[in-house]
PDB file of all heavy atoms in Angstrom:
ATOM      1  N   VAL A  32     189.322 314.103 -52.511  1.00 98.00           N
ATOM      2  CA  VAL A  32     189.165 315.046 -53.613  1.00 98.00           C
ATOM      3  C   VAL A  32     189.901 314.553 -54.854  1.00 98.00           C
ATOM      4  O   VAL A  32     189.361 314.594 -55.960  1.00 98.00           O
ATOM      5  CB  VAL A  32     189.688 316.444 -53.203  1.00 98.00           C
ATOM      6  CG1 VAL A  32     189.645 317.395 -54.389  1.00 98.00           C
ATOM      7  CG2 VAL A  32     188.853 317.007 -52.062  1.00 98.00           C
ATOM      8  N   SER A  33     191.094 314.041 -54.691  1.00 98.00           N
ATOM      9  CA  SER A  33     191.834 313.596 -55.884  1.00 98.00           C
ATOM     10  C   SER A  33     191.280 312.285 -56.432  1.00 98.00           C
ATOM     11  O   SER A  33     191.390 312.043 -57.629  1.00 98.00           O
ATOM     12  CB  SER A  33     193.335 313.503 -55.625  1.00 98.00           C
ATOM     13  OG  SER A  33     193.645 313.503 -54.269  1.00 98.00           O
ATOM     14  N   MET A  47     187.161 321.130 -57.178  1.00 98.00           N
ATOM     15  CA  MET A  47     186.849 321.711 -55.871  1.00 98.00           C
ATOM     16  C   MET A  47     185.600 322.561 -55.940  1.00 98.00           C
ATOM     17  O   MET A  47     184.761 322.536 -55.045  1.00 98.00           O
ATOM     18  CB  MET A  47     188.012 322.591 -55.410  1.00 98.00           C
ATOM     19  CG  MET A  47     189.251 321.818 -55.077  1.00 98.00           C
ATOM     20  SD  MET A  47     189.143 321.092 -53.435  1.00 98.00           S
ATOM     21  CE  MET A  47     189.246 322.580 -52.449  1.00 98.00           C
ATOM     22  N   ARG A  66     196.345 315.896 -44.726  1.00 97.00           N
ATOM     23  CA  ARG A  66     196.169 316.755 -45.911  1.00 97.00           C
ATOM     24  C   ARG A  66     195.075 316.222 -46.820  1.00 97.00           C
ATOM     25  O   ARG A  66     194.854 316.741 -47.907  1.00 97.00           O
ATOM     26  CB  ARG A  66     197.496 316.866 -46.671  1.00 97.00           C
ATOM     27  CG  ARG A  66     198.025 315.543 -47.127  1.00 97.00           C
ATOM     28  CD  ARG A  66     199.391 315.645 -47.802  1.00 97.00           C
ATOM     29  NE  ARG A  66     199.958 314.306 -47.929  1.00 97.00           N
ATOM     30  CZ  ARG A  66     201.080 314.042 -48.584  1.00 97.00           C
ATOM     31  NH1 ARG A  66     201.769 314.995 -49.139  1.00 97.00           N
ATOM     32  NH2 ARG A  66     201.511 312.816 -48.656  1.00 97.00           N
ATOM     33  N   ARG A  68     191.192 315.403 -47.792  1.00 98.00           N
ATOM     34  CA  ARG A  68     189.773 315.677 -47.537  1.00 98.00           C
ATOM     35  C   ARG A  68     188.943 314.499 -48.035  1.00 98.00           C
ATOM     36  O   ARG A  68     189.028 314.137 -49.195  1.00 98.00           O
ATOM     37  CB  ARG A  68     189.339 316.957 -48.239  1.00 98.00           C
ATOM     38  CG  ARG A  68     187.850 317.259 -48.084  1.00 98.00           C
ATOM     39  CD  ARG A  68     187.486 318.628 -48.604  1.00 98.00           C
ATOM     40  NE  ARG A  68     188.142 319.689 -47.835  1.00 98.00           N
ATOM     41  CZ  ARG A  68     187.716 320.116 -46.651  1.00 98.00           C
ATOM     42  NH1 ARG A  68     186.633 319.591 -46.098  1.00 98.00           N
ATOM     43  NH2 ARG A  68     188.372 321.068 -46.023  1.00 98.00           N
TER      44      ARG A  68
ATOM     45  P    DT D   5     204.530 312.882 -56.331  1.00 74.09           P
ATOM     46  OP1  DT D   5     204.443 311.452 -56.662  1.00 74.09           O
ATOM     47  OP2  DT D   5     204.476 313.928 -57.369  1.00 74.09           O
ATOM     48  O5'  DT D   5     203.400 313.204 -55.261  1.00 74.09           O
ATOM     49  C5'  DT D   5     203.353 312.454 -54.059  1.00 74.09           C
ATOM     50  C4'  DT D   5     202.298 313.033 -53.143  1.00 74.09           C
ATOM     51  O4'  DT D   5     202.727 314.322 -52.651  1.00 74.09           O
ATOM     52  C3'  DT D   5     200.937 313.254 -53.810  1.00 74.09           C
ATOM     53  O3'  DT D   5     199.988 312.600 -52.990  1.00 74.09           O
ATOM     54  C2'  DT D   5     200.767 314.770 -53.843  1.00 74.09           C
ATOM     55  C1'  DT D   5     201.614 315.192 -52.629  1.00 74.09           C
ATOM     56  N1   DT D   5     202.156 316.570 -52.630  1.00 74.09           N
ATOM     57  C2   DT D   5     201.966 317.334 -51.500  1.00 74.09           C
ATOM     58  O2   DT D   5     201.365 316.928 -50.520  1.00 74.09           O
ATOM     59  N3   DT D   5     202.518 318.593 -51.557  1.00 74.09           N
ATOM     60  C4   DT D   5     203.225 319.153 -52.607  1.00 74.09           C
ATOM     61  O4   DT D   5     203.670 320.293 -52.526  1.00 74.09           O
ATOM     62  C5   DT D   5     203.388 318.299 -53.765  1.00 74.09           C
ATOM     63  C7   DT D   5     204.131 318.807 -54.959  1.00 74.09           C
ATOM     64  C6   DT D   5     202.852 317.070 -53.725  1.00 74.09           C
ATOM     65  P    DA D   6     198.472 312.489 -53.401  1.00 74.09           P
ATOM     66  OP1  DA D   6     197.928 311.265 -52.777  1.00 74.09           O
ATOM     67  OP2  DA D   6     198.364 312.727 -54.851  1.00 74.09           O
ATOM     68  O5'  DA D   6     197.843 313.748 -52.655  1.00 74.09           O
ATOM     69  C5'  DA D   6     197.620 313.693 -51.250  1.00 74.09           C
ATOM     70  C4'  DA D   6     196.816 314.905 -50.842  1.00 74.09           C
ATOM     71  O4'  DA D   6     197.666 316.066 -50.891  1.00 74.09           O
ATOM     72  C3'  DA D   6     195.650 315.196 -51.791  1.00 74.09           C
ATOM     73  O3'  DA D   6     194.462 315.359 -51.030  1.00 74.09           O
ATOM     74  C2'  DA D   6     196.053 316.476 -52.505  1.00 74.09           C
ATOM     75  C1'  DA D   6     196.980 317.122 -51.502  1.00 74.09           C
ATOM     76  N9   DA D   6     197.973 318.014 -52.085  1.00 74.09           N
ATOM     77  C8   DA D   6     198.698 317.837 -53.230  1.00 74.09           C
ATOM     78  N7   DA D   6     199.526 318.818 -53.501  1.00 74.09           N
ATOM     79  C5   DA D   6     199.333 319.709 -52.447  1.00 74.09           C
ATOM     80  C6   DA D   6     199.911 320.955 -52.143  1.00 74.09           C
ATOM     81  N6   DA D   6     200.840 321.541 -52.890  1.00 74.09           N
ATOM     82  N1   DA D   6     199.506 321.582 -51.005  1.00 74.09           N
ATOM     83  C2   DA D   6     198.577 320.983 -50.250  1.00 74.09           C
ATOM     84  N3   DA D   6     197.961 319.812 -50.429  1.00 74.09           N
ATOM     85  C4   DA D   6     198.396 319.224 -51.565  1.00 74.09           C
ATOM     86  P    DG D   7     193.098 315.618 -51.694  1.00 74.09           P
ATOM     87  OP1  DG D   7     192.075 315.036 -50.849  1.00 74.09           O
ATOM     88  OP2  DG D   7     193.151 315.331 -53.122  1.00 74.09           O
ATOM     89  O5'  DG D   7     193.030 317.188 -51.471  1.00 74.09           O
ATOM     90  C5'  DG D   7     193.105 317.626 -50.122  1.00 74.09           C
ATOM     91  C4'  DG D   7     193.428 319.083 -50.093  1.00 74.09           C
ATOM     92  O4'  DG D   7     194.509 319.378 -50.964  1.00 74.09           O
ATOM     93  C3'  DG D   7     192.281 319.992 -50.536  1.00 74.09           C
ATOM     94  O3'  DG D   7     191.861 320.698 -49.385  1.00 74.09           O
ATOM     95  C2'  DG D   7     192.920 320.919 -51.554  1.00 74.09           C
ATOM     96  C1'  DG D   7     194.389 320.744 -51.291  1.00 74.09           C
ATOM     97  N9   DG D   7     195.280 321.033 -52.393  1.00 74.09           N
ATOM     98  C8   DG D   7     195.529 320.272 -53.501  1.00 74.09           C
ATOM     99  N7   DG D   7     196.420 320.802 -54.297  1.00 74.09           N
ATOM    100  C5   DG D   7     196.777 321.997 -53.679  1.00 74.09           C
ATOM    101  C6   DG D   7     197.695 322.999 -54.069  1.00 74.09           C
ATOM    102  O6   DG D   7     198.392 323.045 -55.074  1.00 74.09           O
ATOM    103  N1   DG D   7     197.764 324.039 -53.134  1.00 74.09           N
ATOM    104  C2   DG D   7     197.019 324.088 -51.971  1.00 74.09           C
ATOM    105  N2   DG D   7     197.196 325.142 -51.197  1.00 74.09           N
ATOM    106  N3   DG D   7     196.167 323.146 -51.578  1.00 74.09           N
ATOM    107  C4   DG D   7     196.088 322.146 -52.486  1.00 74.09           C
ATOM    108  P    DT D   8     190.542 321.528 -49.430  1.00 74.09           P
ATOM    109  OP1  DT D   8     190.024 321.509 -48.055  1.00 74.09           O
ATOM    110  OP2  DT D   8     189.702 321.113 -50.563  1.00 74.09           O
ATOM    111  O5'  DT D   8     191.098 323.007 -49.722  1.00 74.09           O
ATOM    112  C5'  DT D   8     192.078 323.569 -48.851  1.00 74.09           C
ATOM    113  C4'  DT D   8     192.505 324.928 -49.361  1.00 74.09           C
ATOM    114  O4'  DT D   8     193.382 324.777 -50.492  1.00 74.09           O
ATOM    115  C3'  DT D   8     191.366 325.833 -49.832  1.00 74.09           C
ATOM    116  O3'  DT D   8     191.349 326.961 -48.972  1.00 74.09           O
ATOM    117  C2'  DT D   8     191.720 326.165 -51.278  1.00 74.09           C
ATOM    118  C1'  DT D   8     193.218 325.900 -51.312  1.00 74.09           C
ATOM    119  N1   DT D   8     193.775 325.543 -52.633  1.00 74.09           N
ATOM    120  C2   DT D   8     194.727 326.370 -53.178  1.00 74.09           C
ATOM    121  O2   DT D   8     195.130 327.374 -52.650  1.00 74.09           O
ATOM    122  N3   DT D   8     195.195 325.959 -54.402  1.00 74.09           N
ATOM    123  C4   DT D   8     194.824 324.828 -55.096  1.00 74.09           C
ATOM    124  O4   DT D   8     195.327 324.568 -56.190  1.00 74.09           O
ATOM    125  C5   DT D   8     193.819 324.008 -54.481  1.00 74.09           C
ATOM    126  C7   DT D   8     193.330 322.763 -55.150  1.00 74.09           C
ATOM    127  C6   DT D   8     193.339 324.401 -53.273  1.00 74.09           C
ATOM    128  P    DC D   9     190.287 328.078 -49.032  1.00 74.09           P
ATOM    129  OP1  DC D   9     190.156 328.605 -47.653  1.00 74.09           O
ATOM    130  OP2  DC D   9     189.119 327.599 -49.772  1.00 74.09           O
ATOM    131  O5'  DC D   9     191.001 329.210 -49.900  1.00 74.09           O
ATOM    132  C5'  DC D   9     192.272 329.679 -49.497  1.00 74.09           C
ATOM    133  C4'  DC D   9     192.679 330.847 -50.378  1.00 74.09           C
ATOM    134  O4'  DC D   9     193.291 330.336 -51.584  1.00 74.09           O
ATOM    135  C3'  DC D   9     191.516 331.736 -50.818  1.00 74.09           C
ATOM    136  O3'  DC D   9     191.934 333.082 -50.633  1.00 74.09           O
ATOM    137  C2'  DC D   9     191.298 331.348 -52.280  1.00 74.09           C
ATOM    138  C1'  DC D   9     192.698 330.926 -52.717  1.00 74.09           C
ATOM    139  N1   DC D   9     192.756 329.904 -53.804  1.00 74.09           N
ATOM    140  C2   DC D   9     193.668 330.055 -54.854  1.00 74.09           C
ATOM    141  O2   DC D   9     194.398 331.053 -54.870  1.00 74.09           O
ATOM    142  N3   DC D   9     193.725 329.108 -55.817  1.00 74.09           N
ATOM    143  C4   DC D   9     192.926 328.046 -55.767  1.00 74.09           C
ATOM    144  N4   DC D   9     193.026 327.133 -56.740  1.00 74.09           N
ATOM    145  C5   DC D   9     191.988 327.867 -54.701  1.00 74.09           C
ATOM    146  C6   DC D   9     191.933 328.813 -53.751  1.00 74.09           C
TER     147       DC D   9
END
Side-chain angles (χ1 to χ4, degrees):
Chain A
V32 175
S33 16
M47 292 280 290
R66 59 184 167 174
R68 177 171 296 281

